[in-house]
Amino acid sequence: MKAQKVQDLGNPTGHGNPDDWQKYIVDQGWKNYTDEEHDVWKTLYERQMELMPGRACQEFFDGIEALQIDKEKIPDFEEVNKILKEKTGWEVVAVEGLIPDLPFFKLLSERKFPAGYFIRTREQLDYIQEPDVFHDLFGHVPLLSNPIFGDYLENFGKGGLRAHEFGTIKNLSRLYWFTVEFGLMQTPEGMRIYGSGILSSPGETVFSLEDDSPNRIGFDLKRIMQTQYRVDDYQQTYFVIESFEQLFKETYADFAPLYKVLKEDDTLYGLAEIAPNDDVLTKGTQQYATERQKAAEAV
Ligand code: HBI
Ligand code: FE
């Protein structure tokens, strides 16, 4: 039987040292991209943009437009930064791939977003484990032009450095996962996506909003910090905010008191579990996950 992969494996590059952040920054080397690499960007951009209307949150479209994210070519970080810095003080810096947690948090706390500069190959169009330039520039960067989301992410970086003192990085990583990477937002127009892991995946874009399989549960900070997540397939549970204002408001306080509670309370909610106090918006059938599990066992 193939075990389901959950995040408790942790960041394969470890915690690292926050003061080392500079050593992970490299030059994007924009001139070195080949025509084929630009073409992969164009394919991904077109395919994904077709799905976005009525699915991505308005703040995403505002960001794509404000930052003039290129349809045809991999964006030049320097060009993006000219606009982004002016708007919110955020900037994109190039890294080779996944970096250790503490330098990652340190960068966010300084309003620097580390983006992988490489791009997946045509053979990897649908799935890639490392964050590449499409995931980071298309999925993450547009929202950095939103002042409230930008404040949230800076604050998250600060909370990450604090988490290290308390030994609660795992809990904070879950918050990142269920908001920044896989968050949904209930708007007056309907349910929308703001999580970058979804925004950069055509399959999960449709699945997260339209499939009967996953649970959709109202945002709850402590509950999220005690919930397992998957890194190998679509999420079985999504958490839903009402607005970036709400997200910021519920996360800006110093997490120290919450970290103390979490150290005493080792509750861990499973991938599809419904907790007693959950605000359940959709109780999923979990049919997708069940079928995938059966298929994996048959191999
Ligand atoms: N590095 N490049 C990169 N991108 C990430 O999203 C990232 C990372 N290192 C660590 C990390 N994320 C985690 O700590 C988050 O889950 C909090
Ligand atoms: Fe990401």
Side-chain angles (χ1 to χ4, degrees):
M1 177 173 140
K2 209 171 129 193
Q4 290 173 331
K5 270 197 220 158
V6 292
Q7 62 87 211
D8 298 291
L9 304 166
N11 180 342
T13 63
H15 290 332
N17 180 342
D19 300 325
D20 275 352
W21 60 273
Q22 268 156 321
K23 93 175 188 208
Y24 297 98
I25 297 178
V26 297
D27 192 86
Q28 183 191 7
W30 190 82
K31 290 201 169 62
N32 301 330
Y33 290 123
T34 63
D35 289 347
E36 166 62 11
E37 287 173 320
H38 285 305
D39 221 54
V40 168
W41 170 274
K42 183 172 186 247
T43 304
L44 288 165
Y45 185 106
E46 281 173 356
R47 189 174 73 156
Q48 196 57 20
M49 239 351 175
E50 205 165 309
L51 294 170
M52 298 284 87
R55 295 199 177 94
C57 65
Q58 186 55 42
E59 292 86 344
F60 169 79
F61 293 106
D62 295 345
I64 288 274
E65 196 179 303
L67 300 178
Q68 298 168 26
I69 299 297
D70 204 315
K71 292 183 177 60
E72 310 278 329
K73 285 190 157 66
I74 298 170
D76 181 339
F77 295 179
E78 233 178 90
E79 296 297 318
V80 172
N81 283 340
K82 281 183 196 156
I83 308 173
L84 184 56
K85 270 191 202 165
E86 171 113 352
K87 281 197 86 75
T88 57
W90 272 87
E91 68 179 303
V92 186
V93 295
V95 295
E96 300 277 357
L98 210 57
I99 67 170
D101 295 317
L102 294 172
F104 179 73
F105 296 143
K106 178 72 183 172
L107 282 164
L108 297 183
S109 76
E110 304 278 343
R111 293 196 175 231
K112 295 185 200 310
F113 190 85
Y117 68 81
F118 71 98
I119 191 153
R120 68 196 78 180
T121 63
R122 221 166 257 291
E123 291 68 47
Q124 302 169 307
L125 230 43
D126 287 304
Y127 184 72
I128 171 170
Q129 201 130 43
E130 288 262 304
D132 76 339
V133 69
F134 184 72
H135 170 76
D136 283 330
L137 264 284
F138 187 90
H140 286 285
V141 170
L143 293 178
L144 300 177
S145 70
N146 180 277
I148 304 167
F149 188 81
D151 288 350
Y152 168 69
L153 205 57
E154 177 194 335
N155 202 45
F156 177 88
K158 290 178 176 150
L161 298 170
R162 285 288 268 159
H164 184 52
E165 299 166 31
F166 287 84
T168 49
I169 284 185
K170 243 184 209 177
N171 303 275
L172 200 74
S173 296
R174 294 178 187 135
L175 175 62
Y176 191 83
W177 194 261
F178 285 117
T179 59
V180 178
E181 294 291 353
F182 291 95
L184 297 179
M185 187 192 293
Q186 183 69 59
T187 77
E189 290 77 38
M191 191 79 87
R192 296 290 184 270
I193 302 162
Y194 73 93
S196 318
I198 311 178
L199 291 172
S200 57
S201 156
E204 197 152 4
T205 290
V206 176
F207 177 85
S208 66
L209 292 177
E210 285 145 59
D211 209 282
D212 291 334
S213 196
N215 300 324
R216 299 179 187 85
I217 296 172
F219 181 85
D220 177 335
L221 182 60
K222 176 163 177 268
R223 150 64 150 122
I224 286 175
M225 287 198 180
Q226 297 178 312
T227 304
Q228 287 186 315
Y229 62 79
R230 308 186 68 122
V231 297
D232 63 334
D233 208 331
Y234 300 156
Q235 300 307 304
Q236 292 179 244
T237 297
Y238 297 94
F239 289 92
V240 182
I241 62 170
E242 281 157 24
S243 62
F244 288 148
E245 285 86 350
Q246 178 211 10
L247 180 61
F248 181 73
K249 229 170 69 190
E250 296 195 23
T251 55
Y252 81 92
D254 185 356
F255 285 156
L258 178 56
Y259 289 156
K260 277 190 197 136
V261 173
L262 289 169
K263 290 218 69 130
E264 302 298 312
D265 175 358
D266 61 1
T267 306
L268 182 61
Y269 296 107
L271 298 169
E273 193 174 343
I274 302 277
N277 294 321
D278 279 350
D279 170 19
V280 180
L281 307 176
T282 316
K283 179 163 171 18
T285 61
Q286 299 300 336
Q287 190 182 345
Y288 172 83
T290 309
E291 277 169 14
R292 294 276 289 183
Q293 182 67 18
K294 271 195 214 134
E297 280 167 28
V299 174

